[in-house]
Amino acid sequence: MLFHTMVGSNDIERSKRFYDTVLGTLGAGEGTRNIADSGHTRLIYNNGSGTNFIVSQPINDEPASVANGSTVAFSCNSPEQVKQLHDTAVAAGGTSIEAPPGPRETASMGTIELAYFRDPDGNKLCGIHFPA
């Protein structure tokens, strides 16, 4: 259903270093630079199945800001990968938030593995794994 998810950045070079490192734990390659018609730089990360994650300088030239209530969740292959994604993000300049990485009991989905963190611009991100 989704084609892409985009977050804003106030420092595209810092974001490239962060996301190249963090998304590398999920097997994503380096972000591809794209210059929008407006002249603003975007970084495009493709997972190979047609869904893109994009980091962009805001095209209205206002500072990037986070959306209250928004989270971008990245699918992980295992509980270990959830923790690796989190720990890599923190080591690369992100901030751990909420509870430490680990299992969460949910009423509708059973036990899932989660880890929440913010990128250097404050965007809320999550690693998630649903056991088989």
Side-chain angles (χ1 to χ4, degrees):
M1 180 166 127
L2 294 176
F3 177 75
H4 76 264
T5 299
M6 184 182 299
V7 297
S9 173
N10 292 307
D11 184 337
I12 205 76
E13 294 307 318
R14 178 186 65 196
S15 290
K16 183 161 181 11
R17 289 187 303 273
F18 178 82
Y19 283 106
D20 283 359
T21 300
V22 172
L23 296 182
T25 65
L26 301 178
E30 285 189 25
T32 302
R33 281 184 200 280
N34 170 272
I35 306 300
D37 291 342
S38 64
H40 297 86
T41 301
R42 294 178 177 161
L43 305 171
I44 301 173
Y45 296 87
N46 186 294
N47 72 354
S49 68
T51 303
N52 297 290
F53 178 72
I54 302 172
V55 182
S56 180
Q57 296 173 317
I59 61 171
N60 65 359
D61 293 323
E62 296 291 324
S65 59
V66 298
N68 188 24
S70 295
T71 303
V72 176
F74 295 100
S75 292
C76 295
N77 295 326
S78 66
E80 294 78 19
Q81 192 177 44
V82 169
K83 183 164 179 8
Q84 180 187 18
L85 181 71
H86 170 273
D87 293 351
T88 300
V90 171
T95 305
S96 183
I97 58 171
E98 301 185 14
R104 309 286 197 284
E105 294 296 325
T106 69
S108 60
M109 296 179 279
T111 303
I112 57 176
E113 291 285 329
L114 288 172
Y116 288 96
F117 52 95
R118 292 192 184 274
D119 74 4
D121 284 293
N123 295 297
K124 185 177 178 183
L125 308 168
C126 168
I128 189 168
H129 173 71
F130 294 91

